[in-house]
Amino acid sequence: QPVEATDDAFWDQFWADTATSVQDVFALVPAAEIRAVREESPSNLATLCYKAVEKLVQGAESGCHTEKERQIVLNCCRLLTRILPYIFEDPDWRGFFWSTVPGAGRGGGDEDDENARPLAESLLLAVADLLFCPDFTVQSHRRSTVDTAEDIHSIDSCEYIWEAGVGFAHSPQPNYIHDLNRTELLKLLLTCFSEAMYLPPSSDSSNANPWVQFFCSTENRHALPLFTSLLNVVCAYDPVGYGIPYNHLLFSDYREPLVEEAAQVLIVTLDYDSSTSSSPTVDGTTTGTAMDDVDPPGPDNLFVNYLSRIHREEDFQFILKGVARLLSNPLVQTYLPNSAKKIQFHQELLVLFWKLCDFNKKFLFFVLKSSDVLDILVPILYFLNDARADQSRVGLMHIGVFILLLLSGERNFGVRLNKPYSVRVPMDIPVFTGTHADLLIIVFHKIITSGHQRLQPLFDCLLTIVVNVSPYLKSLSMVAANKLLHLLEAFSTTWFLFSAVQNHHLVFFLLEVFNNIIQYQFDGNSNLVYAVIRKRNVFHQLANLPTDSQSIQKGLQRRKKTPEPISRTNSQDGVSMEGSRPAAPAEPGTLKTSLVATPGIDKLTEKSQVSEDGTMRSLEPESSQPPPEGNLPAAVSDGEPWSGEASHPRRDQRRLSSASSSGQWTPTPDWVMSWKSKLPLQTIMRLLQVLVPQVEKICIDKGLTDESEILKFLQHGTLVGLLPVPHPILIRKYQANSGTAMWFRTYMWGVIYLRNVDPPIWYDTDVKLFEIQRV
């Protein structure tokens, strides 16, 4: 039966007990009981929430000076973390925290209810205050022995930023109690923000998360120091600590849980659809002068605003070094096993890095200015290679590829890839001597030929990245050159070209790669030229691709006789994969969360042309020249989005099976003709026409069978004046859109859901944003 709100003796028992931990609260308050109270005595649940928030507000007001007050605050904090998901899962309750509680005016109840704050706002402001509470979550600055404790309202929280770094030089003394208290408060904050998990995915950007919106608004006077504290705590964290290997076995690390929680809160507060806003321009400045100060510069979300306005070189250096150090941590692991603490939050770091590059163009240019970008690239390639066979890590594959797509839109990225790759990261890939570009191509080849079926939607994206960097690649190794030709060979078989409406795009991408290298980097690329000459039959077959119905049917039949995966095309490259071991699939019983579909490559990118002086100009989509992909009727090309983890089984066997297409679409001679006539083969055919007779002549004259002599000849050869006029370089730059914003939201919350297992905050609640499956 309902308990009066004034019955303090009854309510105090929920938070007065001293010896509970958050795990205890989860054990003592079972889900079934919370739901039963919610259904049968809603007024009690409402009173409990209201009273718990009231205690937090009182704690924030008083500054939590006594041990007892701190204990009450922590217990209320744990209780709310436990209960909130059950309030969010019931649509009838969702508005509860946004209503005002009768008699709870801002003045404490004596005033009218007119100016009462909604419960959610009181809760968020109290948590923000508590995160800068001297002697509770931050080091007190008072040195005096006088009892006058610092007044929580007069302190300037910017002086209490948790860690040195961006905009703050002073590194406070580490205090593990403070770290533990901050972690609990951040857990509650994350739980407040998680209302997003209980709404089905929708690309409507107007339904912003009201909790995040309020917390990151000017109403929160701690927004700046909090943003700075979270960012600095993450970027300053060093899991190796003091540089002593194995030290994490000697003493426990209170920082790590705080850093994980900080990273999660940070990416959630930065969940903002930049495609709908006219926020900072390309160079990071906001358009508009002091005169036309009609709308505020940048978005209303202060966290996004602050992030987009970081501009000092040393701040960028601090952030980049920190993110690179943490992303490389799993790679360090493999040299001295267990020598350093192995961090688990690399997915949150990748989302954070993405947000930094997406919202702050100056940061993106800083990253690409030096070869430091390779410290981000190598860990990403490591993760991609490691996760390629694991169904439960398909989201990690997507984010890694998205980041590389974003970087590849900038010329500097291609240039940086020419740096020799000398650090040997333990990866199961063929041994090669070469550059970071070779590493990238070899890993991509491995993903395409030995990843699982679900990765097929990423093929477009992987090849777009290679196309974007290809004009700048000075010298590919023989291993990488053979891998590219192996892909062309696999993708240009007739059964593959005819088995799905979009498959020929992959051939167009690869031909564009070869054309870019031959036209712009012929001199250093004798390995690639030699590989093209060796595999010349592939190009001749493409040029002579049959277009009559009978041949099309025959091409599709050929596949049915030899049902082998793409990696088994009869090419000698597939045989000798040194050190090759397939990535481990997910442990049975692993939970994974579903993802929404991602937009097709044509929606993800916009074409830009690089002019003579190296500047870019974006091409109008309706340019008079036909697009090189072979302009399909729009309905057909857009009708097959490349889906992430769409929950439709029919989308799962997408690209490589003719079965998926036989129902609704069949290849016709007109269709084949429509794109075959646009295959950009002129440059390569001209090259073969000139060089093949010369190479054959050398072989006959000198009785050569030795590759090195032929390569030497090709190195000194030139095709100046013999090739067609170089085509303009086309770069497909990533462009923000609401589809990717939605994808990031589901991915990020899926990661947070799976990573918070102790305590399991959202486990077994009715989540709507994604589906949870067991592998």
Side-chain angles (χ1 to χ4, degrees):
Q1 44 275 351
V3 181
E4 279 303 312
T6 46
D7 183 354
D8 286 341
F10 174 81
W11 295 111
D12 283 350
Q13 62 184 356
F14 285 98
W15 32 80
D17 186 17
T18 50
T20 51
S21 67
V22 65
Q23 286 77 6
D24 295 340
V25 171
F26 272 66
L28 294 168
V29 186
E33 281 186 28
I34 304 175
R35 289 191 176 114
V37 174
R38 187 183 70 193
E39 305 311 323
E40 289 149 34
S41 47
S43 67
N44 283 353
L45 184 60
T47 308
L48 181 64
C49 290
Y50 161 59
K51 291 294 239 183
V53 172
E54 189 182 48
K55 287 289 174 201
L56 289 180
V57 172
Q58 285 169 4
E61 291 284 322
S62 72
C64 282
H65 295 305
T66 66
E67 198 44 56
K68 183 166 186 282
E69 281 179 292
R70 290 174 198 163
Q71 203 52 59
I72 290 174
V73 161
L74 289 172
N75 284 339
C76 290
C77 188
R78 292 158 187 160
L79 197 62
L80 286 166
T81 304
R82 180 60 171 146
I83 293 171
L84 275 167
Y86 297 92
I87 284 183
F88 294 152
E89 73 175 8
D90 184 336
D92 298 337
W93 274 84
R94 218 165 277 148
F96 167 69
F97 269 87
W98 294 97
S99 57
T100 49
V101 175
R106 296 181 192 196
D110 352 297
E111 303 165 39
D112 301 347
D113 298 334
E114 301 301 283
N115 59 358
R117 274 197 180 284
L119 204 51
E121 294 187 5
S122 307
L123 171 55
L124 290 171
L125 292 177
V127 171
D129 275 337
L130 287 164
L131 285 167
F132 291 101
C133 197
D135 291 327
F136 178 51
T137 47
V138 292
Q139 212 67 42
S140 172
H141 288 185
R142 284 283 157 114
R143 295 280 169 270
S144 65
T145 50
V146 193
D147 294 320
T148 52
E150 290 168 274
D151 172 18
I152 194 85
H153 293 287
S154 65
I155 71 167
D156 172 6
S157 44
C158 284
E159 295 172 12
Y160 289 90
I161 289 171
W162 301 348
E163 187 57 71
V166 176
F168 192 67
H170 167 67
S171 194
Q173 205 46 46
N175 178 321
Y176 84 91
I177 302 285
H178 294 175
D179 278 1
L180 292 176
N181 294 344
R182 292 165 179 172
T183 307
E184 298 228 31
L185 286 160
L186 290 180
K187 247 191 204 8
L188 172 56
L189 205 47
L190 198 58
T191 311
C192 291
F193 296 157
S194 71
E195 186 182 43
M197 280 195 210
Y198 298 92
L199 303 169
S202 107
S203 53
D204 178 16
S205 52
S206 60
N207 56 2
N209 184 331
W211 295 83
V212 172
Q213 230 174 346
F214 178 79
F215 191 76
C216 299
S217 72
T218 46
E219 293 271 350
N220 178 359
R221 69 188 185 99
H222 301 293
L224 179 60
L226 245 171
F227 168 76
T228 313
S229 294
L230 295 171
L231 183 63
N232 291 355
V233 156
V234 173
C235 295
Y237 178 58
D238 182 0
V240 178
Y242 313 121
I244 318 160
Y246 299 104
N247 71 347
H248 65 287
L249 305 176
L250 307 178
F251 50 83
S252 117
D253 176 0
Y254 295 98
R255 240 320 116 107
E256 190 186 23
L258 173 65
V259 175
E260 285 191 7
E261 216 63 50
Q264 291 173 3
V265 169
L266 201 48
I267 60 177
V268 170
T269 50
L270 295 170
D271 176 21
Y272 177 79
D273 182 355
S274 58
S275 64
T276 54
S277 74
S278 55
S279 60
T281 53
V282 172
D283 58 353
T285 56
T286 38
T287 45
T289 61
M291 296 307 289
D292 49 73
D293 206 15
V294 203
D295 61 355
D300 302 332
N301 176 326
L302 290 178
F303 279 40
V304 175
N305 208 332
Y306 296 143
L307 185 78
S308 67
R309 295 206 303 213
I310 298 172
H311 60 274
R312 290 177 26 215
E313 293 258 320
E314 54 269 42
D315 289 344
F316 287 155
Q317 188 62 37
F318 164 75
I319 295 171
L320 180 59
K321 277 275 177 278
V323 174
R325 176 194 322 115
L326 291 169
L327 285 178
S328 312
N329 161 274
L331 287 60
V332 176
Q333 276 301 101
T334 25
Y335 292 121
L336 278 175
N338 303 325
S339 63
K341 194 179 181 82
K342 186 161 188 175
I343 63 155
Q344 301 297 332
F345 56 97
H346 48 271
Q347 299 193 84
E348 292 94 319
L349 285 164
L350 290 171
V351 176
L352 178 59
F353 182 76
W354 168 269
K355 301 269 181 207
L356 280 155
C357 293
D358 193 21
F359 295 154
N360 190 324
K361 289 293 172 273
K362 285 184 173 169
F363 177 75
L364 178 61
F365 298 141
F366 175 84
V367 169
L368 294 166
K369 203 171 67 174
S370 71
S371 50
D372 288 351
V373 65
L374 303 174
D375 297 338
I376 300 284
L377 170 75
V378 173
I380 289 179
L381 291 176
Y382 172 86
F383 292 130
L384 291 178
N385 183 54
D386 190 49
R388 70 178 191 280
D390 181 345
Q391 293 263 353
S392 68
R393 291 197 283 168
V394 69
L396 171 63
M397 298 294 295
H398 276 74
I399 176 129
V401 173
F402 282 159
I403 290 175
L404 298 182
L405 178 66
L406 181 69
L407 295 173
S408 74
E410 306 299 333
R411 172 181 177 273
N412 267 352
F413 182 64
V415 174
R416 299 287 161 241
L417 289 178
N418 290 309
K419 187 175 176 184
Y421 172 68
S422 50
V423 277
R424 286 278 165 241
V425 171
M427 267 198 256
D428 52 319
I429 53 169
V431 179
F432 71 96
T433 306
T435 63
H436 284 75
D438 295 309
L439 177 69
L440 177 115
I441 287 168
I442 290 166
V443 170
F444 282 10
H445 171 269
K446 193 127 195 180
I447 294 168
I448 292 172
T449 57
S450 65
H452 55 79
Q453 288 277 307
R454 284 260 171 85
L455 299 179
Q456 284 161 19
L458 281 177
F459 289 2
D460 279 343
C461 232
L462 291 165
L463 293 186
T464 299
I465 294 165
V466 181
V467 173
N468 281 349
V469 300
S470 58
Y472 311 109
L473 304 183
K474 292 193 173 357
S475 64
L476 284 185
S477 69
M478 189 60 93
V479 176
N482 283 335
K483 295 297 178 218
L484 283 175
L485 277 142
H486 176 219
L487 289 178
L488 182 70
E489 200 174 5
F491 290 149
S492 58
T493 58
T494 46
W495 73 261
F496 182 76
L497 284 173
F498 298 157
S499 64
V501 70
Q502 298 220 305
N503 283 357
H504 63 278
H505 288 187
L506 300 173
V507 170
F508 276 88
F509 284 139
L510 284 162
L511 291 176
E512 204 177 324
V513 171
F514 296 133
N515 287 338
N516 280 343
I517 293 179
I518 292 166
Q519 290 278 21
Y520 290 98
Q521 299 290 351
F522 179 81
D523 287 352
N525 274 299
S526 51
N527 286 330
L528 184 79
V529 173
Y530 177 63
V532 167
I533 291 173
R534 257 187 53 215
K535 292 275 182 196
R536 55 190 178 276
N537 63 321
V538 178
F539 299 98
H540 291 303
Q541 276 164 3
L542 266 176
N544 301 317
L545 191 72
T547 55
D548 57 295
S549 320
Q550 206 179 349
S551 308
I552 292 174
Q553 283 317 307
K554 211 156 122 194
L556 289 171
Q557 292 306 318
R558 195 171 309 163
R559 163 67 173 164
K560 296 191 177 100
K561 287 194 216 78
T562 56
E564 286 186 356
I566 173 181
S567 52
R568 304 285 177 271
T569 31
N570 44 9
S571 140
Q572 51 233 21
D573 300 69
V575 189
S576 56
M577 299 278 259
E578 301 95 329
S580 177
R581 56 179 175 73
E587 300 279 312
T590 306
L591 286 180
K592 68 176 184 134
T593 53
S594 62
L595 292 164
V596 291
T598 45
I601 194 74
D602 49 334
K603 300 264 187 303
L604 260 184
T605 54
E606 57 179 0
K607 292 203 183 98
S608 307
Q609 198 169 311
V610 182
S611 347
E612 299 291 306
D613 56 356
T615 54
M616 300 248 185
R617 57 189 191 83
S618 69
L619 295 179
E620 291 307 310
E622 57 280 331
S623 59
S624 50
Q625 59 190 104
E629 281 87 28
N631 42 8
L632 299 168
V636 182
S637 52
D638 295 345
E640 291 249 308
W642 45 277
S643 74
E645 283 287 65
S647 45
H648 310 298
R650 88 179 167 73
R651 288 199 194 159
D652 290 347
Q653 348 91 7
R654 169 68 39 81
R655 265 274 163 67
L656 295 186
S657 77
S658 41
S660 68
S661 45
S662 57
Q664 67 275 22
W665 174 83
T666 45
T668 63
D670 285 350
W671 171 77
V672 178
M673 275 307 297
S674 73
W675 55 261
K676 180 191 164 181
S677 59
K678 300 197 179 71
L679 283 168
L681 287 165
Q682 307 81 327
T683 302
I684 294 171
M685 289 312 190
R686 187 81 187 104
L687 172 135
L688 293 173
Q689 204 186 337
V690 174
L691 291 179
V692 171
Q694 298 182 2
V695 169
E696 284 175 343
K697 186 171 183 309
I698 294 177
C699 293
I700 296 166
D701 291 355
K702 303 196 175 168
L704 276 186
T705 49
D706 181 22
E707 286 189 355
S708 60
E709 286 291 318
I710 300 169
L711 284 168
K712 206 171 288 173
F713 162 72
L714 290 173
Q715 263 160 15
H716 299 300
T718 173
L719 291 176
V720 173
L722 296 171
L723 292 178
V725 178
H727 53 286
I729 296 177
L730 275 187
I731 300 291
R732 291 171 182 78
K733 287 174 86 92
Y734 167 80
Q735 57 171 0
N737 58 59
S738 47
T740 37
M742 192 60 237
W743 184 88
F744 272 98
R745 186 168 308 142
T746 49
Y747 170 60
M748 167 181 83
W749 279 113
V751 168
I752 290 171
Y753 176 95
L754 294 172
R755 298 258 299 108
N756 283 274
V757 286
D758 184 26
I761 301 180
W762 299 281
Y763 191 66
D764 269 349
T765 58
D766 187 16
V767 171
K768 293 275 193 301
L769 183 63
F770 43 77
E771 292 166 26
I772 294 114
Q773 302 126 354
R774 278 196 182 280
V775 177

